[in-house]
Amino acid sequence: MHEARRVNYQPVVDRFPVPIPLDPIAAGIFAIAFVLVAIATARRPSYGLAALLFAQPFAWYHYVFGTTITFPKVILIGVIAGLSGTPNIARILREKHLAAIAWPLAAIAVAMGLSVLQAHDRAAVLREVLKAVEYLVLAVTAYVLYRMDGNDDLLKNTFAASAIIVAISALAEELLGAPSGLWMHEHPVPRIAGFLEGPNQLAGYLEIVTATLGAWNIRKRTLSTDVALLLAGCSLILTFSRGGIAGTAAVAIVLVLIAGRAALRALLPLGIGVICGGIGAEVWAFLTQSDNVFRFTSTQSDYAGGVGNRAELWRAALHFFRASPITGIGAGNYELALNRAGLYGVRTHANSWYLQSLAEGGIVLFAAVVTFLASALRTLWSGVRSNPWTLAAFAATAALALHQIVDYLIFYPKVGGPWILAIAIGVAALAPRKQ
């Protein structure tokens, strides 16, 4: 075995999140954001939708009264305030396309609420129910905004700009240090995350970016979408997220199957980015003298901040499901109850949306999740060949439905928010435009 070459800087930097209370300065900034978004939305609804699309990855968490205040939440409230008093909203809310996603999302919130029956920590249930309600409100709001003012160029370019910033923030961690990594021959290899909570979350977000901007590139390539896709491909590889890479491959397959050669041309910048990221990964393989940096073998490697492995976490989820198969042990309670399944000192989620649903909400929540996915995919399928937003939402939903077999991504609003927005806009694009 060759001695690994030493790296002269710290590629992985442990970060310990510290709750930041809401202070007067932060409150003032949030208040200004609220007012500006409300005024902009009242002037033109697409401005509010663009603000929602842009802000999702940039939370700026502050805590008050046991909950978090973030830019996406403040902007959502500001958008709703800007829409207040707008005529014709009631008519839009009654549209059948909205019902196809709104009712299943509401069912998820209700199923989570029912899980309180067996919950040890009811505050955790309330937190997850409120998150589900937030996703429902976000979907309904985005649908209404797009139906009122579908400014496609503004929305596409705003989303591309947000994705570019996220990708740059992630790639910068190759120099500044990433929050987690792989250990190869006792040397760390960074797994970049940028503004997202971790590398798997960034990979999930990039699936949405690839689906959205790839779909729009099929119609017309632009500099902003090309740059965003290139940076996304490079960042994706350097997350070393196998689920994310497979999910992005699924996005590409869906786009190619539906759009053919046009999709191959549209995804060319992504491919170039993947090659660049692969070169970066090869550099780490050379520095550590380990090809297992690509994680294609069964050789074990440690993760920074390791919190158990999937085999253990999946067994624990099935243990909880067997203990309470109808309504589960309570939404948000899985991570708090792992010691009851024999996992001591571990606090994390189940690394699977479906197993997490079975554990925390039983058959009721699992059925609601499957119904939501089936309804969204069925509704979006009817328009995949007619509108880029609809094609994007279908590809992203198909990929994330697969990816979340091995990861629990909707738990994180920085992934769940963009995904829900993509679905809402994609469904809204199916309805006839106002003349």
Side-chain angles (χ1 to χ4, degrees):
M1 180 182 297
H2 297 289
E3 181 180 355
R5 293 166 175 79
R6 293 193 174 276
V7 179
N8 295 321
Y9 80 104
Q10 240 180 324
V12 178
V13 178
D14 289 330
R15 299 173 189 173
F16 303 97
V18 177
I20 303 175
L22 184 68
D23 55 44
I25 295 177
I29 294 173
F30 283 133
I32 292 171
F34 167 82
V35 171
L36 292 177
V37 168
I39 293 172
T41 303
R43 182 179 178 185
R44 186 167 183 183
S46 60
Y47 294 160
L49 184 52
L52 286 172
L53 280 169
F54 183 85
Q56 296 304 309
F58 314 117
W60 202 47
Y61 296 105
H62 283 75
Y63 290 79
V64 61
F65 302 127
T67 189
T68 57
I69 305 297
T70 66
F71 273 125
K73 290 180 180 178
V74 169
I75 289 173
L76 177 58
I77 297 171
V79 166
I80 293 172
L83 283 175
S84 61
T86 304
N88 299 325
I89 289 181
R91 176 182 57 80
I92 296 175
L93 292 175
R94 291 193 297 269
E95 292 180 353
K96 65 177 183 179
H97 292 100
L98 176 58
I101 56 170
W103 285 113
L105 283 171
I108 290 176
V110 171
M112 286 182 171
L114 289 174
S115 73
V116 76
L117 296 174
Q118 301 292 330
H120 286 268
D121 190 328
R122 296 186 174 184
V125 175
L126 177 61
R127 182 191 67 228
E128 295 305 308
V129 169
L130 290 176
K131 186 189 297 182
V133 170
E134 181 183 349
Y135 284 149
L136 171 61
V137 173
L138 181 64
V140 172
T141 304
Y143 182 95
V144 170
L145 290 167
Y146 188 82
R147 290 289 290 118
M148 294 179 67
D149 183 21
N151 188 339
D152 290 335
D153 286 339
L154 172 65
L155 299 177
K156 175 191 64 176
N157 290 330
T158 300
F159 184 66
S162 182
I164 288 170
I165 294 171
V166 169
I168 290 174
S169 75
L171 291 170
E173 291 180 345
E174 289 289 321
L175 299 176
L176 303 177
S180 64
L182 303 167
W183 261 251
M184 301 295 169
H185 296 168
E186 299 183 357
H187 290 269
V189 175
R191 298 184 66 198
I192 61 176
F195 282 106
L196 279 291
E197 284 85 355
N200 292 325
Q201 291 76 37
L202 175 60
Y205 171 78
L206 293 176
E207 291 170 40
I208 304 166
V209 169
T210 300
T212 303
L213 302 182
W216 273 103
N217 252 14
I218 292 171
R219 173 167 290 188
K220 181 181 179 181
R221 286 181 60 177
T222 64
L223 178 61
S224 63
T225 53
D226 277 356
V227 170
L229 285 170
L230 187 149
L231 293 175
C234 186
S235 302
L236 172 70
I237 298 301
L238 294 172
T239 66
F240 297 106
S241 170
R242 290 171 292 188
I245 293 171
T248 303
V251 168
I253 290 170
V254 170
L255 294 180
V256 170
L257 288 176
I258 292 173
R261 292 183 179 179
L264 293 175
R265 292 190 295 268
L267 294 173
L268 179 61
L270 178 76
I272 295 173
V274 166
I275 292 172
C276 293
I279 293 172
E282 281 287 359
V283 170
W284 283 113
F286 173 76
L287 291 173
T288 61
Q289 294 291 288
S290 173
D291 288 336
N292 198 41
V293 70
F294 296 102
R295 306 173 70 197
F296 291 150
T297 72
S298 59
T299 304
Q300 295 296 314
S301 57
D302 298 322
Y303 293 78
V307 283
N309 59 58
R310 283 181 173 83
E312 295 172 332
L313 297 171
W314 291 354
R315 281 196 298 269
L318 293 174
H319 169 81
F320 293 136
F321 170 65
R322 287 191 293 268
S324 183
I326 306 302
T327 58
I329 64 169
N333 276 246
Y334 174 89
E335 63 178 349
L336 305 175
L338 283 170
N339 62 323
R340 288 157 46 196
L343 289 181
Y344 300 98
V346 175
R347 183 168 177 173
T348 187
H349 53 72
N351 274 282
S352 169
W353 188 17
Y354 308 104
L355 291 177
Q356 184 91 13
S357 300
L358 285 171
E360 294 190 337
I363 294 172
V364 175
L365 180 55
F366 179 78
V369 167
V370 172
T371 299
F372 164 67
L373 289 171
S375 182
L377 288 169
R378 182 178 64 250
T379 303
L380 292 164
W381 175 252
S382 64
V384 291
R385 298 184 186 278
S386 60
N387 189 280
W389 291 118
T390 307
L391 173 58
F394 180 85
T397 300
L400 286 170
L402 292 173
H403 185 172
Q404 290 187 95
I405 295 173
V406 295
D407 276 312
Y408 182 29
L409 299 176
I410 198 170
F411 175 82
Y412 301 93
K414 292 180 182 180
V415 181
W419 182 26
I420 294 298
L421 284 173
I423 293 173
I425 296 172
V427 172
L430 293 171
R433 291 285 185 96
K434 295 190 304 179
Q435 299 299 321

